[in-house]
Amino acid sequence: MSENKMKRIGVLTSGGDSPGMNTAIRAVVRAALDNDIEVVGIRRGYSGLIEGETVELTAKSVSEVIARGGTFLCTARSTKFKTEEGVLEAVESCKKLGLDGLVVIGGDGSFRGASDLSKQGVPCLCIPGTIDNDISCTEYTIGFDTAVNTCVDCIDKIRDTMQSHNRCSIVEVMGRHAGYIALNAGIATGAMAILIPEVPIDIEKDVIVRMRAAMESGRHHFIIVVAEGVGNIDALAEKIKNEVGIETKTTVLGHIQRGGSPTATDRVWASRLGYEAVKLLLQGIGDRVVGVKNGEVVNYDIQEALKMTKSIDKEMYKMAYVVSTAGLERYKKI
Ligand code: F6P
């Protein structure tokens, strides 16, 4: 890494925690220490920054965190920081703490705050950390792989009991307004249907008719994965029970999918992105987001990043339906 004037930086996690955040903090701390930069850990996100709730981080403080889920710095969603007054208090706090820069690990709400701070003279580098994978400027967000794998593990277990009882199971997964977790977990568990906010489907044609056809061809248990952004799953369960004639159970996976030890994929990206963030700060570059494009580490201006859009791969969605129903005579193409 090159020469720089940075002497002391802060690192915080903000928004919903995600597996791999600790690994990213570790990478930031180690990369900074390697360049004789001190690192201050800020507890509870921007709330802790405003209140000056900090902990000095050493190589040792991050020596056992690589495999731990959650964030040892804790996190929060600060309403005060969304106000001009809150931002100015945070800037004051950075001055008091002697911070030359700040690394923010979180989702795009956290990036907006980082951009405000950068404009006030505190260079900020953002690292995408959320299980939802809903940040447009990057193909990948830290925690997504672990969350999908946790969902797959849970759905596989649900499948065992659905199979034993000839039942249908509707499983709701997280993702806020996005369907990335649902799509990937649904494909990986062979779900008969995957409902995500990005793709409107006709329940009658794409679920009910296909289930009846599948039952006629000898299938007696089903998994349907629904992203939380789609809405209530109880009404769908009732409809399936009445119109297909199969006992239908619902499961909301909830916060279980946000915890747990990060997968190797999450650990590797967390390390690479954490290292890159410090590398940019060292070059005097702030107001940027690091991310992944075509499997490579990239970075963007925060405001540019926030304007970007990303969409679900429709071909992948279509494929999911084909491979879950191939061979069924009455299967209707979506
Ligand atoms: O953004 C991560 C996420 O887990 C979303 O998938 C979910 O909608 C939300 O956070 C839940 O937030 P909370 O933990 O505050 O209930």
Side-chain angles (χ1 to χ4, degrees):
M1 290 187 186
S2 55
E3 281 294 299
N4 84 106
K5 296 192 188 75
M6 295 263 160
K7 292 282 168 266
R8 190 170 158 83
I9 62 169
V11 59
L12 62 81
T13 48
S14 168
D17 61 287
S18 67
M21 278 185 163
N22 284 329
T23 319
I25 298 166
R26 172 181 177 271
V28 168
V29 171
R30 296 273 168 88
L33 293 177
D34 189 49
N35 288 276
D36 301 320
I37 299 172
E38 293 171 357
V39 189
V40 180
I42 294 145
R43 295 175 54 79
R44 294 193 306 107
Y46 292 117
S47 303
L49 179 60
I50 291 171
E51 283 155 38
E53 219 182 296
T54 61
V55 53
E56 295 290 325
L57 295 177
T58 62
K60 194 147 185 286
S61 1
V62 290
S63 68
E64 295 298 334
V65 303
I66 194 165
R68 233 196 286 156
T71 158
F72 78 92
L73 287 178
C74 298
T75 183
R77 295 186 174 104
S78 169
T79 34
K80 187 167 190 190
F81 188 68
K82 288 190 182 131
T83 65
E84 205 183 321
E85 186 199 347
V87 173
L88 294 178
E89 281 186 38
V91 173
E92 267 318 295
S93 203
C94 288
K95 281 186 195 152
K96 269 192 217 146
L97 293 165
L99 301 183
D100 302 312
L102 182 68
V103 177
V104 172
I105 307 165
D108 48 14
S110 314
F111 297 175
R112 273 184 205 101
S115 180
D116 291 341
L117 280 180
S118 294
K119 285 190 185 69
Q120 296 290 335
V122 183
C124 291
L125 248 299
C126 300
I127 300 176
T130 164
I131 60 166
D132 302 336
N133 201 20
D134 61 348
I135 299 178
S136 300
C137 69
T138 180
E139 288 162 6
Y140 192 78
T141 61
I142 297 166
F144 174 65
D145 189 61
T146 308
V148 170
N149 277 289
T150 301
C151 291
V152 168
D153 187 41
C154 294
I155 297 169
D156 283 348
K157 290 184 168 84
I158 291 171
R159 176 184 286 281
D160 289 345
T161 170
M162 290 306 113
Q163 189 169 23
S164 305
H165 283 267
N166 285 346
R167 283 174 177 160
C168 169
S169 188
I170 304 176
V171 184
E172 181 189 295
V173 299
M174 281 186 167
R176 202 177 290 273
H177 307 298
Y180 296 99
I181 297 177
L183 179 57
N184 285 272
I187 290 171
T189 53
M192 127 76 55
I194 303 168
L195 275 57
I196 56 176
E198 295 88 340
V199 185
I201 70 163
D202 180 336
I203 297 288
E204 197 60 40
K205 179 165 80 72
D206 301 327
V207 180
I208 305 292
V209 171
R210 287 172 67 234
M211 282 180 81
R212 284 199 199 113
M215 283 183 74
E216 278 170 30
S217 67
R219 195 155 152 183
H220 296 293
H221 66 277
F222 301 92
I223 295 286
I224 296 176
V225 176
V226 182
E228 65 176 339
V230 169
N232 193 296
I233 54 177
D234 293 332
L236 177 61
E238 200 54 27
K239 189 174 172 67
I240 290 173
K241 198 176 92 190
N242 295 336
E243 296 183 22
V244 183
I246 184 168
E247 194 182 357
T248 303
K249 300 279 181 184
T250 56
T251 307
V252 177
L253 289 188
H255 288 83
I256 195 167
Q257 67 205 283
R258 221 162 74 187
S261 179
T263 59
T265 299
D266 274 326
R267 295 183 203 188
V268 171
W269 279 120
S271 301
R272 290 184 70 181
L273 295 175
Y275 178 84
E276 184 71 11
V278 174
K279 199 165 122 186
L280 292 169
L281 273 181
L282 277 170
Q283 291 163 19
I285 299 171
D287 205 7
R288 310 286 291 179
V289 183
V290 293
V292 182
K293 187 178 181 190
N294 299 327
E296 299 293 329
V297 177
V298 289
N299 66 85
Y300 301 99
D301 171 83
I302 299 179
Q303 287 304 326
E304 290 304 313
L306 290 173
K307 279 186 218 139
M308 292 179 183
T309 53
K310 105 172 163 185
S311 50
I312 283 278
D313 182 340
K314 296 273 165 55
E315 195 54 34
M316 186 168 158
Y317 186 78
K318 195 172 168 186
M319 175 279 294
Y321 271 74
V322 172
V323 301
S324 76
T325 47
L328 296 177
E329 293 296 315
R330 299 186 188 185
Y331 166 61
K332 290 190 178 176
K333 279 203 161 30
I334 52 167

PDB file of all heavy atoms in Angstrom, residues 10-46:
ATOM      1  N   GLY A  10     -11.669   5.328  11.883  1.00  0.00           N
ATOM      2  CA  GLY A  10     -12.717   4.642  12.641  1.00  0.00           C
ATOM      3  C   GLY A  10     -13.349   3.576  11.764  1.00  0.00           C
ATOM      4  O   GLY A  10     -13.269   3.616  10.540  1.00  0.00           O
ATOM      5  N   VAL A  11     -13.974   2.607  12.412  1.00  0.00           N
ATOM      6  CA  VAL A  11     -14.744   1.609  11.671  1.00  0.00           C
ATOM      7  C   VAL A  11     -16.042   1.350  12.434  1.00  0.00           C
ATOM      8  O   VAL A  11     -16.044   1.282  13.659  1.00  0.00           O
ATOM      9  CB  VAL A  11     -13.929   0.300  11.431  1.00  0.00           C
ATOM     10  CG1 VAL A  11     -13.471  -0.355  12.726  1.00  0.00           C
ATOM     11  CG2 VAL A  11     -14.736  -0.713  10.609  1.00  0.00           C
ATOM     12  N   LEU A  12     -17.147   1.273  11.690  1.00  0.00           N
ATOM     13  CA  LEU A  12     -18.429   0.978  12.346  1.00  0.00           C
ATOM     14  C   LEU A  12     -19.283   0.074  11.466  1.00  0.00           C
ATOM     15  O   LEU A  12     -19.077  -0.012  10.254  1.00  0.00           O
ATOM     16  CB  LEU A  12     -19.184   2.270  12.696  1.00  0.00           C
ATOM     17  CG  LEU A  12     -19.632   3.235  11.586  1.00  0.00           C
ATOM     18  CD1 LEU A  12     -20.924   2.782  10.905  1.00  0.00           C
ATOM     19  CD2 LEU A  12     -19.865   4.632  12.202  1.00  0.00           C
ATOM     20  N   THR A  13     -20.216  -0.619  12.113  1.00  0.00           N
ATOM     21  CA  THR A  13     -21.201  -1.417  11.387  1.00  0.00           C
ATOM     22  C   THR A  13     -22.557  -0.784  11.630  1.00  0.00           C
ATOM     23  O   THR A  13     -22.839  -0.327  12.735  1.00  0.00           O
ATOM     24  CB  THR A  13     -21.191  -2.895  11.856  1.00  0.00           C
ATOM     25  OG1 THR A  13     -21.218  -2.937  13.290  1.00  0.00           O
ATOM     26  CG2 THR A  13     -19.955  -3.626  11.364  1.00  0.00           C
ATOM     27  N   SER A  14     -23.374  -0.743  10.581  1.00  0.00           N
ATOM     28  CA  SER A  14     -24.637  -0.015  10.682  1.00  0.00           C
ATOM     29  C   SER A  14     -25.757  -0.787   9.982  1.00  0.00           C
ATOM     30  O   SER A  14     -25.504  -1.568   9.073  1.00  0.00           O
ATOM     31  CB  SER A  14     -24.417   1.356  10.034  1.00  0.00           C
ATOM     32  OG  SER A  14     -25.616   2.040   9.840  1.00  0.00           O
ATOM     33  N   GLY A  15     -27.001  -0.590  10.425  1.00  0.00           N
ATOM     34  CA  GLY A  15     -28.129  -1.316   9.829  1.00  0.00           C
ATOM     35  C   GLY A  15     -28.196  -2.736  10.385  1.00  0.00           C
ATOM     36  O   GLY A  15     -27.633  -3.034  11.439  1.00  0.00           O
ATOM     37  N   GLY A  16     -28.875  -3.617   9.666  1.00  0.00           N
ATOM     38  CA  GLY A  16     -28.976  -5.016  10.120  1.00  0.00           C
ATOM     39  C   GLY A  16     -27.620  -5.696  10.083  1.00  0.00           C
ATOM     40  O   GLY A  16     -26.861  -5.504   9.138  1.00  0.00           O
ATOM     41  N   ASP A  17     -27.304  -6.461  11.119  1.00  0.00           N
ATOM     42  CA  ASP A  17     -26.023  -7.185  11.109  1.00  0.00           C
ATOM     43  C   ASP A  17     -26.047  -8.258  10.022  1.00  0.00           C
ATOM     44  O   ASP A  17     -27.108  -8.664   9.549  1.00  0.00           O
ATOM     45  CB  ASP A  17     -25.784  -7.851  12.473  1.00  0.00           C
ATOM     46  CG  ASP A  17     -26.875  -8.849  12.794  1.00  0.00           C
ATOM     47  OD1 ASP A  17     -27.995  -8.410  13.102  1.00  0.00           O
ATOM     48  OD2 ASP A  17     -26.628 -10.065  12.701  1.00  0.00           O
ATOM     49  N   SER A  18     -24.853  -8.706   9.624  1.00  0.00           N
ATOM     50  CA  SER A  18     -24.810  -9.814   8.659  1.00  0.00           C
ATOM     51  C   SER A  18     -23.548 -10.632   8.906  1.00  0.00           C
ATOM     52  O   SER A  18     -22.522 -10.083   9.329  1.00  0.00           O
ATOM     53  CB  SER A  18     -24.842  -9.297   7.222  1.00  0.00           C
ATOM     54  OG  SER A  18     -23.685  -8.587   6.908  1.00  0.00           O
ATOM     55  N   PRO A  19     -23.619 -11.946   8.653  1.00  0.00           N
ATOM     56  CA  PRO A  19     -22.443 -12.789   8.900  1.00  0.00           C
ATOM     57  C   PRO A  19     -21.293 -12.371   7.976  1.00  0.00           C
ATOM     58  O   PRO A  19     -21.473 -12.264   6.761  1.00  0.00           O
ATOM     59  CB  PRO A  19     -22.936 -14.203   8.551  1.00  0.00           C
ATOM     60  CG  PRO A  19     -24.429 -14.121   8.534  1.00  0.00           C
ATOM     61  CD  PRO A  19     -24.770 -12.718   8.156  1.00  0.00           C
ATOM     62  N   GLY A  20     -20.144 -12.124   8.559  1.00  0.00           N
ATOM     63  CA  GLY A  20     -18.989 -11.668   7.764  1.00  0.00           C
ATOM     64  C   GLY A  20     -18.617 -10.237   8.121  1.00  0.00           C
ATOM     65  O   GLY A  20     -17.533  -9.760   7.765  1.00  0.00           O
ATOM     66  N   MET A  21     -19.504  -9.542   8.840  1.00  0.00           N
ATOM     67  CA  MET A  21     -19.156  -8.168   9.247  1.00  0.00           C
ATOM     68  C   MET A  21     -17.907  -8.179  10.121  1.00  0.00           C
ATOM     69  O   MET A  21     -17.022  -7.338   9.982  1.00  0.00           O
ATOM     70  CB  MET A  21     -20.317  -7.523  10.006  1.00  0.00           C
ATOM     71  CG  MET A  21     -21.391  -6.958   9.084  1.00  0.00           C
ATOM     72  SD  MET A  21     -22.670  -6.086  10.010  1.00  0.00           S
ATOM     73  CE  MET A  21     -23.437  -5.132   8.679  1.00  0.00           C
ATOM     74  N   ASN A  22     -17.830  -9.166  11.025  1.00  0.00           N
ATOM     75  CA  ASN A  22     -16.641  -9.248  11.892  1.00  0.00           C
ATOM     76  C   ASN A  22     -15.373  -9.493  11.065  1.00  0.00           C
ATOM     77  O   ASN A  22     -14.311  -8.950  11.366  1.00  0.00           O
ATOM     78  CB  ASN A  22     -16.813 -10.376  12.910  1.00  0.00           C
ATOM     79  CG  ASN A  22     -17.757  -9.988  14.033  1.00  0.00           C
ATOM     80  OD1 ASN A  22     -17.838  -8.815  14.397  1.00  0.00           O
ATOM     81  ND2 ASN A  22     -18.481 -10.960  14.564  1.00  0.00           N
ATOM     82  N   THR A  23     -15.513 -10.309  10.043  1.00  0.00           N
ATOM     83  CA  THR A  23     -14.358 -10.601   9.183  1.00  0.00           C
ATOM     84  C   THR A  23     -13.912  -9.327   8.473  1.00  0.00           C
ATOM     85  O   THR A  23     -12.703  -9.082   8.298  1.00  0.00           O
ATOM     86  CB  THR A  23     -14.735 -11.687   8.146  1.00  0.00           C
ATOM     87  OG1 THR A  23     -15.534 -12.686   8.774  1.00  0.00           O
ATOM     88  CG2 THR A  23     -13.510 -12.307   7.521  1.00  0.00           C
ATOM     89  N   ALA A  24     -14.887  -8.508   8.065  1.00  0.00           N
ATOM     90  CA  ALA A  24     -14.544  -7.250   7.389  1.00  0.00           C
ATOM     91  C   ALA A  24     -13.860  -6.281   8.355  1.00  0.00           C
ATOM     92  O   ALA A  24     -12.863  -5.635   7.995  1.00  0.00           O
ATOM     93  CB  ALA A  24     -15.808  -6.622   6.800  1.00  0.00           C
ATOM     94  N   ILE A  25     -14.357  -6.217   9.595  1.00  0.00           N
ATOM     95  CA  ILE A  25     -13.725  -5.332  10.595  1.00  0.00           C
ATOM     96  C   ILE A  25     -12.270  -5.786  10.792  1.00  0.00           C
ATOM     97  O   ILE A  25     -11.342  -4.974  10.836  1.00  0.00           O
ATOM     98  CB  ILE A  25     -14.472  -5.394  11.956  1.00  0.00           C
ATOM     99  CG1 ILE A  25     -15.914  -4.907  11.811  1.00  0.00           C
ATOM    100  CG2 ILE A  25     -13.742  -4.579  13.025  1.00  0.00           C
ATOM    101  CD1 ILE A  25     -16.822  -5.239  13.016  1.00  0.00           C
ATOM    102  N   ARG A  26     -12.110  -7.086  10.903  1.00  0.00           N
ATOM    103  CA  ARG A  26     -10.758  -7.657  11.099  1.00  0.00           C
ATOM    104  C   ARG A  26      -9.818  -7.233   9.963  1.00  0.00           C
ATOM    105  O   ARG A  26      -8.680  -6.811  10.207  1.00  0.00           O
ATOM    106  CB  ARG A  26     -10.875  -9.182  11.156  1.00  0.00           C
ATOM    107  CG  ARG A  26      -9.573  -9.951  11.160  1.00  0.00           C
ATOM    108  CD  ARG A  26      -9.903 -11.439  11.182  1.00  0.00           C
ATOM    109  NE  ARG A  26      -8.730 -12.286  11.122  1.00  0.00           N
ATOM    110  CZ  ARG A  26      -8.184 -12.699   9.986  1.00  0.00           C
ATOM    111  NH1 ARG A  26      -8.676 -12.316   8.832  1.00  0.00           N
ATOM    112  NH2 ARG A  26      -7.120 -13.490  10.019  1.00  0.00           N
ATOM    113  N   ALA A  27     -10.339  -7.321   8.722  1.00  0.00           N
ATOM    114  CA  ALA A  27      -9.502  -6.964   7.570  1.00  0.00           C
ATOM    115  C   ALA A  27      -9.138  -5.478   7.609  1.00  0.00           C
ATOM    116  O   ALA A  27      -7.993  -5.098   7.331  1.00  0.00           O
ATOM    117  CB  ALA A  27     -10.233  -7.304   6.272  1.00  0.00           C
ATOM    118  N   VAL A  28     -10.114  -4.651   7.973  1.00  0.00           N
ATOM    119  CA  VAL A  28      -9.865  -3.203   8.051  1.00  0.00           C
ATOM    120  C   VAL A  28      -8.785  -2.932   9.101  1.00  0.00           C
ATOM    121  O   VAL A  28      -7.821  -2.200   8.857  1.00  0.00           O
ATOM    122  CB  VAL A  28     -11.180  -2.449   8.405  1.00  0.00           C
ATOM    123  CG1 VAL A  28     -10.901  -1.001   8.790  1.00  0.00           C
ATOM    124  CG2 VAL A  28     -12.166  -2.519   7.237  1.00  0.00           C
ATOM    125  N   VAL A  29      -8.943  -3.547  10.266  1.00  0.00           N
ATOM    126  CA  VAL A  29      -7.986  -3.312  11.370  1.00  0.00           C
ATOM    127  C   VAL A  29      -6.578  -3.765  10.961  1.00  0.00           C
ATOM    128  O   VAL A  29      -5.605  -3.014  11.088  1.00  0.00           O
ATOM    129  CB  VAL A  29      -8.444  -4.043  12.655  1.00  0.00           C
ATOM    130  CG1 VAL A  29      -7.377  -3.992  13.738  1.00  0.00           C
ATOM    131  CG2 VAL A  29      -9.742  -3.432  13.170  1.00  0.00           C
ATOM    132  N   ARG A  30      -6.490  -4.961  10.430  1.00  0.00           N
ATOM    133  CA  ARG A  30      -5.160  -5.502  10.095  1.00  0.00           C
ATOM    134  C   ARG A  30      -4.510  -4.707   8.951  1.00  0.00           C
ATOM    135  O   ARG A  30      -3.307  -4.432   8.993  1.00  0.00           O
ATOM    136  CB  ARG A  30      -5.288  -6.979   9.719  1.00  0.00           C
ATOM    137  CG  ARG A  30      -5.774  -7.877  10.877  1.00  0.00           C
ATOM    138  CD  ARG A  30      -4.600  -8.345  11.737  1.00  0.00           C
ATOM    139  NE  ARG A  30      -5.048  -8.951  12.991  1.00  0.00           N
ATOM    140  CZ  ARG A  30      -5.358 -10.242  13.158  1.00  0.00           C
ATOM    141  NH1 ARG A  30      -5.306 -11.093  12.140  1.00  0.00           N
ATOM    142  NH2 ARG A  30      -5.722 -10.692  14.346  1.00  0.00           N
ATOM    143  N   ALA A  31      -5.323  -4.328   7.944  1.00  0.00           N
ATOM    144  CA  ALA A  31      -4.763  -3.568   6.815  1.00  0.00           C
ATOM    145  C   ALA A  31      -4.283  -2.197   7.289  1.00  0.00           C
ATOM    146  O   ALA A  31      -3.244  -1.691   6.850  1.00  0.00           O
ATOM    147  CB  ALA A  31      -5.800  -3.416   5.705  1.00  0.00           C
ATOM    148  N   ALA A  32      -5.045  -1.598   8.205  1.00  0.00           N
ATOM    149  CA  ALA A  32      -4.646  -0.281   8.729  1.00  0.00           C
ATOM    150  C   ALA A  32      -3.381  -0.395   9.574  1.00  0.00           C
ATOM    151  O   ALA A  32      -2.427   0.372   9.393  1.00  0.00           O
ATOM    152  CB  ALA A  32      -5.787   0.309   9.554  1.00  0.00           C
ATOM    153  N   LEU A  33      -3.365  -1.372  10.478  1.00  0.00           N
ATOM    154  CA  LEU A  33      -2.188  -1.532  11.350  1.00  0.00           C
ATOM    155  C   LEU A  33      -0.931  -1.794  10.530  1.00  0.00           C
ATOM    156  O   LEU A  33       0.157  -1.334  10.873  1.00  0.00           O
ATOM    157  CB  LEU A  33      -2.407  -2.672  12.348  1.00  0.00           C
ATOM    158  CG  LEU A  33      -3.506  -2.449  13.406  1.00  0.00           C
ATOM    159  CD1 LEU A  33      -3.657  -3.686  14.286  1.00  0.00           C
ATOM    160  CD2 LEU A  33      -3.214  -1.209  14.255  1.00  0.00           C
ATOM    161  N   ASP A  34      -1.098  -2.498   9.442  1.00  0.00           N
ATOM    162  CA  ASP A  34       0.034  -2.792   8.557  1.00  0.00           C
ATOM    163  C   ASP A  34       0.650  -1.505   8.004  1.00  0.00           C
ATOM    164  O   ASP A  34       1.792  -1.487   7.562  1.00  0.00           O
ATOM    165  CB  ASP A  34      -0.455  -3.693   7.410  1.00  0.00           C
ATOM    166  CG  ASP A  34       0.690  -4.218   6.575  1.00  0.00           C
ATOM    167  OD1 ASP A  34       1.664  -4.729   7.167  1.00  0.00           O
ATOM    168  OD2 ASP A  34       0.627  -4.092   5.335  1.00  0.00           O
ATOM    169  N   ASN A  35      -0.152  -0.435   8.028  1.00  0.00           N
ATOM    170  CA  ASN A  35       0.323   0.862   7.536  1.00  0.00           C
ATOM    171  C   ASN A  35       0.463   1.885   8.656  1.00  0.00           C
ATOM    172  O   ASN A  35       0.399   3.089   8.426  1.00  0.00           O
ATOM    173  CB  ASN A  35      -0.643   1.377   6.466  1.00  0.00           C
ATOM    174  CG  ASN A  35      -0.518   0.589   5.187  1.00  0.00           C
ATOM    175  OD1 ASN A  35       0.352   0.867   4.361  1.00  0.00           O
ATOM    176  ND2 ASN A  35      -1.347  -0.424   5.034  1.00  0.00           N
ATOM    177  N   ASP A  36       0.630   1.365   9.881  1.00  0.00           N
ATOM    178  CA  ASP A  36       0.814   2.217  11.063  1.00  0.00           C
ATOM    179  C   ASP A  36      -0.331   3.187  11.302  1.00  0.00           C
ATOM    180  O   ASP A  36      -0.137   4.308  11.772  1.00  0.00           O
ATOM    181  CB  ASP A  36       2.145   2.993  10.981  1.00  0.00           C
ATOM    182  CG  ASP A  36       3.321   2.048  10.886  1.00  0.00           C
ATOM    183  OD1 ASP A  36       3.299   1.013  11.588  1.00  0.00           O
ATOM    184  OD2 ASP A  36       4.239   2.319  10.073  1.00  0.00           O
ATOM    185  N   ILE A  37      -1.515   2.770  10.947  1.00  0.00           N
ATOM    186  CA  ILE A  37      -2.702   3.593  11.215  1.00  0.00           C
ATOM    187  C   ILE A  37      -3.445   2.993  12.412  1.00  0.00           C
ATOM    188  O   ILE A  37      -3.674   1.783  12.459  1.00  0.00           O
ATOM    189  CB  ILE A  37      -3.653   3.601   9.988  1.00  0.00           C
ATOM    190  CG1 ILE A  37      -2.925   4.189   8.781  1.00  0.00           C
ATOM    191  CG2 ILE A  37      -4.921   4.379  10.271  1.00  0.00           C
ATOM    192  CD1 ILE A  37      -3.716   4.067   7.499  1.00  0.00           C
ATOM    193  N   GLU A  38      -3.809   3.841  13.353  1.00  0.00           N
ATOM    194  CA  GLU A  38      -4.599   3.368  14.504  1.00  0.00           C
ATOM    195  C   GLU A  38      -6.052   3.188  14.086  1.00  0.00           C
ATOM    196  O   GLU A  38      -6.546   3.930  13.225  1.00  0.00           O
ATOM    197  CB  GLU A  38      -4.556   4.402  15.634  1.00  0.00           C
ATOM    198  CG  GLU A  38      -3.190   4.565  16.262  1.00  0.00           C
ATOM    199  CD  GLU A  38      -3.145   5.755  17.218  1.00  0.00           C
ATOM    200  OE1 GLU A  38      -4.155   6.489  17.350  1.00  0.00           O
ATOM    201  OE2 GLU A  38      -2.093   5.941  17.829  1.00  0.00           O
ATOM    202  N   VAL A  39      -6.708   2.247  14.734  1.00  0.00           N
ATOM    203  CA  VAL A  39      -8.125   2.028  14.400  1.00  0.00           C
ATOM    204  C   VAL A  39      -8.997   2.111  15.655  1.00  0.00           C
ATOM    205  O   VAL A  39      -8.729   1.465  16.664  1.00  0.00           O
ATOM    206  CB  VAL A  39      -8.353   0.657  13.720  1.00  0.00           C
ATOM    207  CG1 VAL A  39      -9.789   0.570  13.202  1.00  0.00           C
ATOM    208  CG2 VAL A  39      -7.368   0.436  12.583  1.00  0.00           C
ATOM    209  N   VAL A  40     -10.032   2.923  15.518  1.00  0.00           N
ATOM    210  CA  VAL A  40     -11.008   3.061  16.592  1.00  0.00           C
ATOM    211  C   VAL A  40     -12.277   2.333  16.171  1.00  0.00           C
ATOM    212  O   VAL A  40     -12.835   2.609  15.103  1.00  0.00           O
ATOM    213  CB  VAL A  40     -11.344   4.559  16.821  1.00  0.00           C
ATOM    214  CG1 VAL A  40     -12.372   4.714  17.944  1.00  0.00           C
ATOM    215  CG2 VAL A  40     -10.092   5.346  17.124  1.00  0.00           C
ATOM    216  N   GLY A  41     -12.725   1.413  16.995  1.00  0.00           N
ATOM    217  CA  GLY A  41     -13.992   0.733  16.721  1.00  0.00           C
ATOM    218  C   GLY A  41     -15.117   1.571  17.295  1.00  0.00           C
ATOM    219  O   GLY A  41     -15.068   1.986  18.462  1.00  0.00           O
ATOM    220  N   ILE A  42     -16.118   1.869  16.477  1.00  0.00           N
ATOM    221  CA  ILE A  42     -17.257   2.658  16.967  1.00  0.00           C
ATOM    222  C   ILE A  42     -18.423   1.707  17.198  1.00  0.00           C
ATOM    223  O   ILE A  42     -18.804   0.957  16.299  1.00  0.00           O
ATOM    224  CB  ILE A  42     -17.620   3.767  15.953  1.00  0.00           C
ATOM    225  CG1 ILE A  42     -16.450   4.760  15.913  1.00  0.00           C
ATOM    226  CG2 ILE A  42     -18.900   4.481  16.350  1.00  0.00           C
ATOM    227  CD1 ILE A  42     -16.188   5.340  14.598  1.00  0.00           C
ATOM    228  N   ARG A  43     -18.921   1.722  18.415  1.00  0.00           N
ATOM    229  CA  ARG A  43     -19.986   0.783  18.768  1.00  0.00           C
ATOM    230  C   ARG A  43     -21.357   1.327  18.377  1.00  0.00           C
ATOM    231  O   ARG A  43     -21.569   2.519  18.333  1.00  0.00           O
ATOM    232  CB  ARG A  43     -19.935   0.497  20.277  1.00  0.00           C
ATOM    233  CG  ARG A  43     -18.644  -0.235  20.680  1.00  0.00           C
ATOM    234  CD  ARG A  43     -18.543  -0.406  22.172  1.00  0.00           C
ATOM    235  NE  ARG A  43     -19.719  -1.041  22.710  1.00  0.00           N
ATOM    236  CZ  ARG A  43     -19.975  -2.355  22.658  1.00  0.00           C
ATOM    237  NH1 ARG A  43     -19.115  -3.165  22.106  1.00  0.00           N
ATOM    238  NH2 ARG A  43     -21.074  -2.842  23.178  1.00  0.00           N
ATOM    239  N   ARG A  44     -22.279   0.419  18.020  1.00  0.00           N
ATOM    240  CA  ARG A  44     -23.672   0.758  17.699  1.00  0.00           C
ATOM    241  C   ARG A  44     -23.830   1.765  16.559  1.00  0.00           C
ATOM    242  O   ARG A  44     -24.612   2.699  16.613  1.00  0.00           O
ATOM    243  CB  ARG A  44     -24.405   1.273  18.944  1.00  0.00           C
ATOM    244  CG  ARG A  44     -24.579   0.228  20.047  1.00  0.00           C
ATOM    245  CD  ARG A  44     -25.558   0.673  21.097  1.00  0.00           C
ATOM    246  NE  ARG A  44     -25.225   1.980  21.653  1.00  0.00           N
ATOM    247  CZ  ARG A  44     -25.899   3.093  21.389  1.00  0.00           C
ATOM    248  NH1 ARG A  44     -26.952   3.067  20.611  1.00  0.00           N
ATOM    249  NH2 ARG A  44     -25.529   4.218  21.927  1.00  0.00           N
ATOM    250  N   GLY A  45     -23.026   1.596  15.526  1.00  0.00           N
ATOM    251  CA  GLY A  45     -23.209   2.375  14.302  1.00  0.00           C
ATOM    252  C   GLY A  45     -23.127   3.876  14.511  1.00  0.00           C
ATOM    253  O   GLY A  45     -22.358   4.378  15.327  1.00  0.00           O
ATOM    254  N   TYR A  46     -23.947   4.608  13.745  1.00  0.00           N
ATOM    255  CA  TYR A  46     -23.902   6.074  13.817  1.00  0.00           C
ATOM    256  C   TYR A  46     -24.374   6.596  15.170  1.00  0.00           C
ATOM    257  O   TYR A  46     -23.961   7.680  15.602  1.00  0.00           O
ATOM    258  CB  TYR A  46     -24.755   6.680  12.700  1.00  0.00           C
ATOM    259  CG  TYR A  46     -24.184   6.453  11.308  1.00  0.00           C
ATOM    260  CD1 TYR A  46     -24.877   5.711  10.358  1.00  0.00           C
ATOM    261  CD2 TYR A  46     -22.946   6.994  10.948  1.00  0.00           C
ATOM    262  CE1 TYR A  46     -24.361   5.510   9.085  1.00  0.00           C
ATOM    263  CE2 TYR A  46     -22.424   6.799   9.682  1.00  0.00           C
ATOM    264  CZ  TYR A  46     -23.134   6.057   8.753  1.00  0.00           C
ATOM    265  OH  TYR A  46     -22.608   5.859   7.494  1.00  0.00           O
TER     266      TYR A  46
END
